[in-house]
Amino acid sequence: MFFRDVVGQERIKARLIHSVRDQRVPHAMLFLGPEGHGGLPLAIAFARYLNCSNRTDSDACGHCPSCLKISKLVHPDLHFVFPVVKVGSKDVVSDMRLPAWREAVLKNPYLTSEQWMECIGAENKQGGIFKEESEKIISKLLVKSFESEYKVMIVWMAEKLNVPTANKLLKIFEEPPEKTLFILIASASEQMLPTILSRMQIFLVPQIEEDAMREEIIRRNNVSPEMAGRIVKMSAGDFSAALAYLSEGSADTEFYDYFVRWMRLCWSVRSVNKSRQMSSMLELIRLIEKLSSLGRERIKQFLSYSIGLIRENLLLHCGKEELVRLDSREQEFSSKFSAYIHQDNVFQIIEELSLAYEHIESNGNEKIVMTDLVLRLIRLIK
Ligand SMILES: [Zn+2]
């Protein structure tokens, strides 16, 4: 992983490179953002850059002994901590899973927590970073670095540090041994202890820029620009999501189809014809079931997609065609649908969609949240 392999995120890359050039590298950083925004690839690219003996103004060299070892994730001064699952009552630390971790990250640095849990056969068990890990971390960092200038400890999914582990690490986060660097990566800061957060320099990892996503999708998969555009929109700046669409080939129709079906049902369920009303209601229930079974991340992406489409329809409604970015199918649907999105309902519709997004994100029950949302929108779309 080089900086050039990290999709987009140019501002953070520049900030990190500057910190090295100005010799002001923070000793404890937190990369905060959803996994698919690229916190992990950024951290690995930065660790490589930092220890490269022949770096340029923009990236590591790729040939020096440090670069060669980081290419295989076997550098003795680059350490990883990540969630693992307990086997019986035995304690497990990250090192016991290191070969699987290396393989998974080398294959896909935009790894999601779900994919990682699958890799280690966690099934329904909760992954965690347990107390024994903190002892391991401290003992590793007390040893002098082997061959590099910096020792780097990357903690992936730092929100999984449980309270005893986190408490044990507070002191070392605050005063790490010289030339030691912590990079914590997390997507949910509200699950982290304030005492940890206050010791970190926080780098918000935002949605990936659309142009960078589009270019990378086309480069990797040879899809049409229109399809790439659709995937970019559906994955809302999340490269892991884009990869999932590409591998399933589902980007073509899925969200658009759900959205159109939902909006049409909002109408037909209010029909004066009783039997039509009843069949629409049954159909809505099936749609709710389908949507709530997509899984948390996909539901969130569907909601982002819906918000985007509603916004574009408002622009159409206001006669701002030149600002609208829809593909041909969406355009055809929206030419009629936009009549129903106007200043009297658009704010409430977007608020309902955003609220559902927040509830899904904070672990609300998918079926309850989606049922509520689908029913509320029936009253708003008219
Ligand atoms: Zn190098």
Short mmCIF file of all heavy atoms in Angstrom, two decimals, residues 306-351:
data_model
loop_
_atom_site.label_atom_id
_atom_site.label_comp_id
_atom_site.label_asym_id
_atom_site.label_seq_id
_atom_site.Cartn_x
_atom_site.Cartn_y
_atom_site.Cartn_z
N SER A 306 -31.35 7.27 -1.58
CA SER A 306 -32.70 7.85 -1.65
C SER A 306 -32.66 9.35 -1.40
O SER A 306 -33.33 10.12 -2.09
CB SER A 306 -33.63 7.19 -0.61
OG SER A 306 -33.64 5.80 -0.81
N ILE A 307 -31.86 9.77 -0.41
CA ILE A 307 -31.75 11.21 -0.13
C ILE A 307 -31.23 11.93 -1.37
O ILE A 307 -31.75 12.96 -1.78
CB ILE A 307 -30.81 11.46 1.09
CG1 ILE A 307 -31.48 10.95 2.37
CG2 ILE A 307 -30.48 12.95 1.22
CD1 ILE A 307 -30.58 10.97 3.61
N GLY A 308 -30.22 11.32 -2.01
CA GLY A 308 -29.64 11.93 -3.21
C GLY A 308 -30.69 12.09 -4.30
O GLY A 308 -30.80 13.14 -4.94
N LEU A 309 -31.48 11.04 -4.50
CA LEU A 309 -32.48 11.07 -5.58
C LEU A 309 -33.58 12.10 -5.28
O LEU A 309 -34.03 12.80 -6.19
CB LEU A 309 -33.08 9.66 -5.71
CG LEU A 309 -33.44 9.21 -7.12
CD1 LEU A 309 -32.31 9.44 -8.09
CD2 LEU A 309 -33.82 7.72 -7.12
N ILE A 310 -33.97 12.20 -4.04
CA ILE A 310 -34.98 13.19 -3.65
C ILE A 310 -34.44 14.60 -3.93
O ILE A 310 -35.13 15.46 -4.49
CB ILE A 310 -35.36 13.06 -2.15
CG1 ILE A 310 -36.04 11.72 -1.86
CG2 ILE A 310 -36.21 14.24 -1.67
CD1 ILE A 310 -37.49 11.62 -2.28
N ARG A 311 -33.19 14.81 -3.57
CA ARG A 311 -32.58 16.12 -3.78
C ARG A 311 -32.54 16.48 -5.27
O ARG A 311 -32.89 17.58 -5.67
CB ARG A 311 -31.15 16.08 -3.21
CG ARG A 311 -30.68 17.42 -2.75
CD ARG A 311 -29.30 17.31 -2.15
NE ARG A 311 -29.27 16.70 -0.84
CZ ARG A 311 -28.37 15.79 -0.45
NH1 ARG A 311 -27.45 15.34 -1.28
NH2 ARG A 311 -28.39 15.31 0.77
N GLU A 312 -32.15 15.50 -6.10
CA GLU A 312 -32.10 15.75 -7.54
C GLU A 312 -33.50 16.06 -8.08
O GLU A 312 -33.68 16.89 -8.97
CB GLU A 312 -31.54 14.53 -8.28
CG GLU A 312 -30.14 14.11 -7.87
CD GLU A 312 -29.05 15.09 -8.30
OE1 GLU A 312 -29.10 15.56 -9.45
OE2 GLU A 312 -28.17 15.40 -7.49
N ASN A 313 -34.52 15.39 -7.51
CA ASN A 313 -35.88 15.63 -7.97
C ASN A 313 -36.37 17.02 -7.60
O ASN A 313 -37.15 17.63 -8.32
CB ASN A 313 -36.83 14.56 -7.41
CG ASN A 313 -36.92 13.38 -8.35
OD1 ASN A 313 -37.69 13.41 -9.30
ND2 ASN A 313 -36.08 12.38 -8.14
N LEU A 314 -35.89 17.53 -6.47
CA LEU A 314 -36.27 18.89 -6.09
C LEU A 314 -35.67 19.89 -7.10
O LEU A 314 -36.33 20.82 -7.53
CB LEU A 314 -35.79 19.21 -4.67
CG LEU A 314 -36.15 20.63 -4.21
CD1 LEU A 314 -37.66 20.78 -4.03
CD2 LEU A 314 -35.45 20.98 -2.91
N LEU A 315 -34.40 19.61 -7.48
CA LEU A 315 -33.76 20.49 -8.48
C LEU A 315 -34.57 20.49 -9.78
O LEU A 315 -34.81 21.53 -10.38
CB LEU A 315 -32.32 20.04 -8.75
CG LEU A 315 -31.32 20.25 -7.61
CD1 LEU A 315 -29.98 19.60 -7.95
CD2 LEU A 315 -31.12 21.74 -7.35
N LEU A 316 -35.01 19.28 -10.18
CA LEU A 316 -35.81 19.18 -11.40
C LEU A 316 -37.10 19.97 -11.25
O LEU A 316 -37.52 20.70 -12.14
CB LEU A 316 -36.16 17.71 -11.67
CG LEU A 316 -35.20 16.87 -12.48
CD1 LEU A 316 -35.76 15.47 -12.65
CD2 LEU A 316 -34.98 17.50 -13.87
N HIS A 317 -37.72 19.80 -10.08
CA HIS A 317 -38.98 20.48 -9.80
C HIS A 317 -38.81 22.00 -9.91
O HIS A 317 -39.70 22.70 -10.36
CB HIS A 317 -39.47 20.11 -8.39
CG HIS A 317 -40.82 20.66 -8.05
ND1 HIS A 317 -41.99 19.96 -8.30
CD2 HIS A 317 -41.19 21.85 -7.52
CE1 HIS A 317 -43.01 20.71 -7.92
NE2 HIS A 317 -42.56 21.86 -7.42
N CYS A 318 -37.65 22.49 -9.49
CA CYS A 318 -37.40 23.93 -9.51
C CYS A 318 -36.84 24.39 -10.86
O CYS A 318 -36.38 25.53 -10.98
CB CYS A 318 -36.42 24.32 -8.40
SG CYS A 318 -37.02 23.90 -6.79
N GLY A 319 -36.82 23.49 -11.83
CA GLY A 319 -36.36 23.88 -13.17
C GLY A 319 -34.85 24.06 -13.28
O GLY A 319 -34.36 24.79 -14.13
N LYS A 320 -34.09 23.40 -12.39
CA LYS A 320 -32.62 23.55 -12.46
C LYS A 320 -31.98 22.34 -13.14
O LYS A 320 -31.08 21.70 -12.59
CB LYS A 320 -32.05 23.68 -11.03
CG LYS A 320 -32.56 24.87 -10.27
CD LYS A 320 -31.72 26.08 -10.60
CE LYS A 320 -32.18 27.29 -9.82
NZ LYS A 320 -31.84 28.54 -10.48
N GLU A 321 -32.48 22.01 -14.33
CA GLU A 321 -32.00 20.81 -15.03
C GLU A 321 -30.48 20.78 -15.17
O GLU A 321 -29.86 19.73 -15.14
CB GLU A 321 -32.61 20.70 -16.44
CG GLU A 321 -34.02 20.13 -16.48
CD GLU A 321 -35.06 21.23 -16.29
OE1 GLU A 321 -34.65 22.40 -16.11
OE2 GLU A 321 -36.26 20.91 -16.31
N GLU A 322 -29.89 21.96 -15.35
CA GLU A 322 -28.45 21.99 -15.60
C GLU A 322 -27.64 21.49 -14.41
O GLU A 322 -26.49 21.08 -14.55
CB GLU A 322 -28.00 23.40 -16.04
CG GLU A 322 -28.00 24.48 -14.95
CD GLU A 322 -29.39 25.10 -14.66
OE1 GLU A 322 -30.40 24.58 -15.15
OE2 GLU A 322 -29.43 26.10 -13.92
N LEU A 323 -28.24 21.46 -13.21
CA LEU A 323 -27.50 21.00 -12.04
C LEU A 323 -27.73 19.52 -11.73
O LEU A 323 -27.10 18.94 -10.87
CB LEU A 323 -27.92 21.81 -10.79
CG LEU A 323 -27.68 23.32 -10.82
CD1 LEU A 323 -28.23 23.96 -9.57
CD2 LEU A 323 -26.18 23.59 -10.93
N VAL A 324 -28.69 18.93 -12.46
CA VAL A 324 -29.11 17.57 -12.12
C VAL A 324 -28.13 16.53 -12.65
O VAL A 324 -27.67 16.63 -13.78
CB VAL A 324 -30.53 17.32 -12.68
CG1 VAL A 324 -30.94 15.87 -12.51
CG2 VAL A 324 -31.52 18.23 -11.96
N ARG A 325 -27.82 15.54 -11.78
CA ARG A 325 -26.92 14.47 -12.22
C ARG A 325 -27.62 13.13 -12.03
O ARG A 325 -27.52 12.51 -10.98
CB ARG A 325 -25.63 14.51 -11.42
CG ARG A 325 -24.76 15.67 -11.90
CD ARG A 325 -23.72 16.05 -10.94
NE ARG A 325 -22.95 14.90 -10.52
CZ ARG A 325 -22.38 14.83 -9.33
NH1 ARG A 325 -22.51 15.80 -8.47
NH2 ARG A 325 -21.67 13.79 -9.00
N LEU A 326 -28.36 12.73 -13.06
CA LEU A 326 -29.08 11.46 -12.98
C LEU A 326 -28.73 10.64 -14.21
O LEU A 326 -28.44 11.20 -15.27
CB LEU A 326 -30.59 11.71 -12.97
CG LEU A 326 -31.17 12.44 -11.75
CD1 LEU A 326 -32.62 12.83 -12.02
CD2 LEU A 326 -31.10 11.56 -10.51
N ASP A 327 -28.76 9.30 -14.08
CA ASP A 327 -28.54 8.52 -15.29
C ASP A 327 -29.86 8.44 -16.06
O ASP A 327 -30.89 8.94 -15.61
CB ASP A 327 -27.92 7.15 -14.96
CG ASP A 327 -28.86 6.26 -14.19
OD1 ASP A 327 -30.10 6.37 -14.39
OD2 ASP A 327 -28.39 5.44 -13.39
N SER A 328 -29.82 7.78 -17.22
CA SER A 328 -30.99 7.88 -18.11
C SER A 328 -32.26 7.28 -17.49
O SER A 328 -33.35 7.84 -17.62
CB SER A 328 -30.68 7.23 -19.45
OG SER A 328 -30.13 5.95 -19.23
N ARG A 329 -32.09 6.17 -16.77
CA ARG A 329 -33.30 5.57 -16.17
C ARG A 329 -33.88 6.44 -15.07
O ARG A 329 -35.08 6.65 -14.97
CB ARG A 329 -32.96 4.19 -15.59
CG ARG A 329 -33.12 3.08 -16.58
CD ARG A 329 -32.76 1.77 -15.97
NE ARG A 329 -31.89 1.96 -14.81
CZ ARG A 329 -31.74 1.06 -13.85
NH1 ARG A 329 -32.39 -0.06 -13.91
NH2 ARG A 329 -30.93 1.28 -12.85
N GLU A 330 -32.98 6.95 -14.24
CA GLU A 330 -33.44 7.81 -13.14
C GLU A 330 -34.11 9.07 -13.70
O GLU A 330 -35.09 9.56 -13.17
CB GLU A 330 -32.25 8.22 -12.26
CG GLU A 330 -31.70 7.07 -11.44
CD GLU A 330 -30.31 7.37 -10.86
OE1 GLU A 330 -29.64 8.32 -11.31
OE2 GLU A 330 -29.91 6.63 -9.95
N GLN A 331 -33.54 9.55 -14.80
CA GLN A 331 -34.08 10.76 -15.43
C GLN A 331 -35.51 10.51 -15.93
O GLN A 331 -36.39 11.33 -15.74
CB GLN A 331 -33.18 11.13 -16.60
CG GLN A 331 -33.40 12.54 -17.08
CD GLN A 331 -32.11 13.34 -17.00
OE1 GLN A 331 -31.03 12.79 -17.22
NE2 GLN A 331 -32.22 14.60 -16.67
N GLU A 332 -35.70 9.36 -16.53
CA GLU A 332 -37.02 9.04 -17.07
C GLU A 332 -38.05 8.97 -15.94
O GLU A 332 -39.12 9.57 -16.03
CB GLU A 332 -36.93 7.68 -17.80
CG GLU A 332 -38.09 7.45 -18.73
CD GLU A 332 -38.07 6.03 -19.27
OE1 GLU A 332 -36.96 5.50 -19.48
OE2 GLU A 332 -39.16 5.47 -19.45
N PHE A 333 -37.69 8.27 -14.87
CA PHE A 333 -38.60 8.16 -13.73
C PHE A 333 -38.86 9.54 -13.12
O PHE A 333 -39.99 9.92 -12.82
CB PHE A 333 -37.98 7.21 -12.69
CG PHE A 333 -38.63 7.27 -11.33
CD1 PHE A 333 -39.89 6.70 -11.12
CD2 PHE A 333 -37.99 7.89 -10.27
CE1 PHE A 333 -40.48 6.76 -9.86
CE2 PHE A 333 -38.58 7.96 -9.02
CZ PHE A 333 -39.83 7.39 -8.81
N SER A 334 -37.79 10.31 -12.98
CA SER A 334 -37.90 11.59 -12.28
C SER A 334 -38.66 12.64 -13.08
O SER A 334 -39.20 13.59 -12.51
CB SER A 334 -36.51 12.13 -11.95
OG SER A 334 -35.83 11.19 -11.14
N SER A 335 -38.73 12.47 -14.40
CA SER A 335 -39.44 13.48 -15.18
C SER A 335 -40.89 13.58 -14.71
O SER A 335 -41.48 14.65 -14.75
CB SER A 335 -39.37 13.14 -16.67
OG SER A 335 -40.02 11.92 -16.90
N LYS A 336 -41.46 12.47 -14.24
CA LYS A 336 -42.83 12.55 -13.70
C LYS A 336 -42.81 12.71 -12.17
O LYS A 336 -43.56 13.49 -11.61
CB LYS A 336 -43.60 11.27 -14.05
CG LYS A 336 -43.86 11.15 -15.53
CD LYS A 336 -44.90 10.08 -15.82
CE LYS A 336 -45.03 9.89 -17.31
NZ LYS A 336 -44.51 8.60 -17.76
N PHE A 337 -41.91 11.96 -11.55
CA PHE A 337 -41.92 11.92 -10.07
C PHE A 337 -41.61 13.30 -9.46
O PHE A 337 -42.13 13.65 -8.39
CB PHE A 337 -40.89 10.87 -9.60
CG PHE A 337 -40.74 10.77 -8.11
CD1 PHE A 337 -41.79 10.28 -7.32
CD2 PHE A 337 -39.56 11.16 -7.48
CE1 PHE A 337 -41.66 10.19 -5.94
CE2 PHE A 337 -39.42 11.07 -6.10
CZ PHE A 337 -40.47 10.58 -5.33
N SER A 338 -40.80 14.09 -10.13
CA SER A 338 -40.37 15.38 -9.55
C SER A 338 -41.54 16.31 -9.28
O SER A 338 -41.42 17.23 -8.47
CB SER A 338 -39.34 16.06 -10.46
OG SER A 338 -39.90 16.24 -11.73
N ALA A 339 -42.70 16.06 -9.93
CA ALA A 339 -43.87 16.90 -9.67
C ALA A 339 -44.32 16.76 -8.21
O ALA A 339 -44.98 17.64 -7.67
CB ALA A 339 -45.01 16.49 -10.60
N TYR A 340 -43.93 15.65 -7.58
CA TYR A 340 -44.41 15.39 -6.22
C TYR A 340 -43.40 15.72 -5.13
O TYR A 340 -43.60 15.42 -3.97
CB TYR A 340 -44.87 13.92 -6.10
CG TYR A 340 -45.90 13.59 -7.14
CD1 TYR A 340 -45.55 12.89 -8.30
CD2 TYR A 340 -47.22 14.03 -7.00
CE1 TYR A 340 -46.48 12.63 -9.29
CE2 TYR A 340 -48.15 13.78 -7.99
CZ TYR A 340 -47.77 13.08 -9.12
OH TYR A 340 -48.70 12.85 -10.11
N ILE A 341 -42.27 16.26 -5.56
CA ILE A 341 -41.26 16.67 -4.56
C ILE A 341 -41.17 18.19 -4.63
O ILE A 341 -40.77 18.75 -5.65
CB ILE A 341 -39.88 16.05 -4.91
CG1 ILE A 341 -39.96 14.52 -4.87
CG2 ILE A 341 -38.79 16.54 -3.96
CD1 ILE A 341 -40.30 13.94 -3.52
N HIS A 342 -41.59 18.84 -3.58
CA HIS A 342 -41.68 20.30 -3.60
C HIS A 342 -41.37 20.87 -2.23
O HIS A 342 -41.15 20.12 -1.28
CB HIS A 342 -43.07 20.73 -4.07
CG HIS A 342 -44.16 19.89 -3.45
ND1 HIS A 342 -44.55 20.05 -2.14
CD2 HIS A 342 -44.88 18.85 -3.95
CE1 HIS A 342 -45.49 19.16 -1.87
NE2 HIS A 342 -45.71 18.41 -2.93
N GLN A 343 -41.43 22.20 -2.15
CA GLN A 343 -40.99 22.83 -0.90
C GLN A 343 -41.85 22.48 0.31
O GLN A 343 -41.40 22.61 1.44
CB GLN A 343 -40.93 24.35 -1.07
CG GLN A 343 -42.28 24.96 -1.38
CD GLN A 343 -42.13 26.35 -1.94
OE1 GLN A 343 -41.25 26.61 -2.75
NE2 GLN A 343 -43.00 27.26 -1.53
N ASP A 344 -43.08 21.99 0.06
CA ASP A 344 -43.94 21.66 1.21
C ASP A 344 -43.64 20.30 1.82
O ASP A 344 -44.13 19.99 2.90
CB ASP A 344 -45.42 21.72 0.82
CG ASP A 344 -45.83 23.14 0.49
OD1 ASP A 344 -45.22 24.06 1.08
OD2 ASP A 344 -46.71 23.33 -0.36
N ASN A 345 -42.92 19.44 1.06
CA ASN A 345 -42.67 18.13 1.68
C ASN A 345 -41.19 17.73 1.70
O ASN A 345 -40.78 16.85 2.44
CB ASN A 345 -43.50 17.02 1.00
CG ASN A 345 -43.17 16.83 -0.47
OD1 ASN A 345 -42.23 17.45 -0.99
ND2 ASN A 345 -43.91 15.97 -1.14
N VAL A 346 -40.36 18.41 0.91
CA VAL A 346 -39.00 17.90 0.73
C VAL A 346 -38.18 17.89 2.03
O VAL A 346 -37.45 16.94 2.31
CB VAL A 346 -38.27 18.68 -0.40
CG1 VAL A 346 -37.98 20.11 0.00
CG2 VAL A 346 -36.99 17.97 -0.78
N PHE A 347 -38.36 18.92 2.85
CA PHE A 347 -37.53 18.97 4.06
C PHE A 347 -37.90 17.83 5.00
O PHE A 347 -37.04 17.20 5.61
CB PHE A 347 -37.69 20.33 4.75
CG PHE A 347 -37.28 21.46 3.85
CD1 PHE A 347 -38.21 22.37 3.38
CD2 PHE A 347 -35.96 21.57 3.44
CE1 PHE A 347 -37.83 23.38 2.51
CE2 PHE A 347 -35.56 22.59 2.58
CZ PHE A 347 -36.51 23.50 2.11
N GLN A 348 -39.21 17.60 5.10
CA GLN A 348 -39.65 16.51 5.99
C GLN A 348 -39.21 15.14 5.47
O GLN A 348 -38.81 14.28 6.24
CB GLN A 348 -41.16 16.54 6.11
CG GLN A 348 -41.61 16.94 7.51
CD GLN A 348 -43.11 16.93 7.60
OE1 GLN A 348 -43.76 17.60 6.80
NE2 GLN A 348 -43.63 16.16 8.54
N ILE A 349 -39.29 14.97 4.13
CA ILE A 349 -38.88 13.67 3.57
C ILE A 349 -37.40 13.43 3.86
O ILE A 349 -37.00 12.36 4.34
CB ILE A 349 -39.13 13.64 2.03
CG1 ILE A 349 -40.63 13.70 1.75
CG2 ILE A 349 -38.53 12.39 1.41
CD1 ILE A 349 -40.97 13.89 0.27
N ILE A 350 -36.59 14.44 3.62
CA ILE A 350 -35.15 14.28 3.85
C ILE A 350 -34.87 14.07 5.34
O ILE A 350 -34.03 13.25 5.73
CB ILE A 350 -34.36 15.47 3.25
CG1 ILE A 350 -34.44 15.34 1.73
CG2 ILE A 350 -32.91 15.48 3.72
CD1 ILE A 350 -33.62 16.31 0.94
N GLU A 351 -35.62 14.76 6.17
CA GLU A 351 -35.42 14.59 7.61
C GLU A 351 -35.75 13.16 8.04
O GLU A 351 -35.01 12.55 8.80
CB GLU A 351 -36.30 15.60 8.35
CG GLU A 351 -35.89 15.76 9.80
CD GLU A 351 -36.80 16.76 10.52
OE1 GLU A 351 -37.05 17.84 9.95
OE2 GLU A 351 -37.25 16.43 11.62
#
